[in-house]
Amino acid sequence: FGSLLKNMKKHLKYSKEVAEAIDSKKAVVALESTIISHGMPYPQNVETAIRVEKAVRDAGAIPATIGIIDGKLCAGLSMDEIEIMGKTGEQIMKCSRRDLPLVIAKKMHGATTVAGTMIIAEAAGIPVFATGGIGGVHRGGSQTMDVSADLQELAKTNVAVVCAGAKAILDIGLTLEYLETQGVPVIAYQTREFPAFFTRQSGFDADFKMDTPQEI
């Protein structure tokens, strides 16, 4: 695994701001780029990305929006690169773990999913990643085996993911069962209930309730 990370670092590019923040041990928060390319139309997608970065800054941390430009794993996208993601939209490749070798080898652009962002964040030395809803087990997943790669990544990759739970269209109960099987701790902040992306209520409990960031 150490050699894998070392190999990935050859393809890693930091923005100046993110590199300086990591060197000076400032708080850095990774952000995904699939929400820009596949989440909403242009220019609202770019406006949203900028607003999310501002929210991180307002909280006292440095945002590192993660994506792939010309085959380079970027820890921190520039405004021009965020614009590329937004304008290219769904024509840009959505990159999970399986897609990274192809996109690097072909020197393509790529927008990173939760799994893809976690991998690059860990390689870059960024321990915290904030996003909207993670993927999970789809309804009927016990028959179709349609399970998001995000869930395996949560078990493999040493990055804390702060999110609004799993997307409400998924099978929340099976998603939590899968996370338990993979040994992933699920912590709910100031509540016991696991959220479902756009709602605080899913009808399912998280593993643990914690009330402060320090406790988490």
Side-chain angles (χ1 to χ4, degrees), residues 2-204:
S3 62
L4 173 65
L5 278 180
K6 185 178 178 183
N7 188 49
M8 283 188 65
K9 285 180 185 294
K10 293 191 301 187
H11 306 286
L12 192 61
K13 183 182 85 171
Y14 293 88
S15 71
K16 185 170 183 284
E17 182 185 34
V18 170
E20 288 174 352
I22 290 172
D23 286 345
S24 58
K25 295 185 168 31
K26 290 182 181 173
V28 180
V29 177
L31 303 167
E32 66 162 285
S33 49
T34 295
I35 190 69
I36 307 171
S37 60
H38 291 71
M40 58 195 77
Y42 180 81
Q44 288 91 345
N45 51 9
V46 171
E47 292 164 3
T48 301
I50 292 167
R51 285 173 62 193
V52 171
E53 286 203 346
K54 183 179 184 300
V56 172
R57 291 184 200 283
D58 289 349
I62 301 299
T65 299
I66 300 229
I68 305 167
I69 299 292
D70 296 326
K72 284 291 182 185
L73 309 175
C74 298
L77 293 178
S78 67
M79 287 300 107
D80 287 345
E81 289 166 340
I82 288 174
E83 188 79 11
I84 288 170
M85 292 279 178
K87 279 188 172 175
T88 309
E90 293 190 4
Q91 294 173 48
I92 205 164
M93 183 175 282
K94 195 173 182 179
C95 293
S96 188
R97 174 179 280 271
R98 68 169 187 186
D99 309 298
L100 295 178
L102 176 77
V103 174
I104 291 169
K106 287 185 168 285
K107 295 182 168 48
M108 296 163 62
H109 296 338
T112 52
T113 63
V114 168
T117 303
M118 288 177 71
I119 292 165
I120 297 170
E122 184 179 41
I126 301 170
V128 177
F129 163 40
T131 188
I134 61 168
V137 180
H138 285 253
R139 295 176 192 270
S142 55
Q143 282 76 46
T144 65
M145 300 298 291
D146 191 351
V147 179
S148 170
D150 294 351
L151 301 187
Q152 287 245 341
E153 211 58 54
L154 286 162
K156 290 177 183 175
T157 302
N158 192 25
V159 172
V161 178
V162 182
C163 67
K167 297 178 178 71
I169 59 169
L170 301 171
D171 188 318
I172 304 293
L174 273 182
T175 296
L176 289 168
E177 290 287 354
Y178 191 96
L179 289 170
E180 179 188 5
T181 301
Q182 293 295 319
V184 177
V186 178
I187 300 167
Y189 179 57
Q190 297 185 353
T191 180
R192 189 58 195 260
E193 191 158 4
F194 183 76
F197 196 21
F198 60 82
T199 172
R200 289 175 181 268
Q201 286 80 39
S202 68
F204 293 90

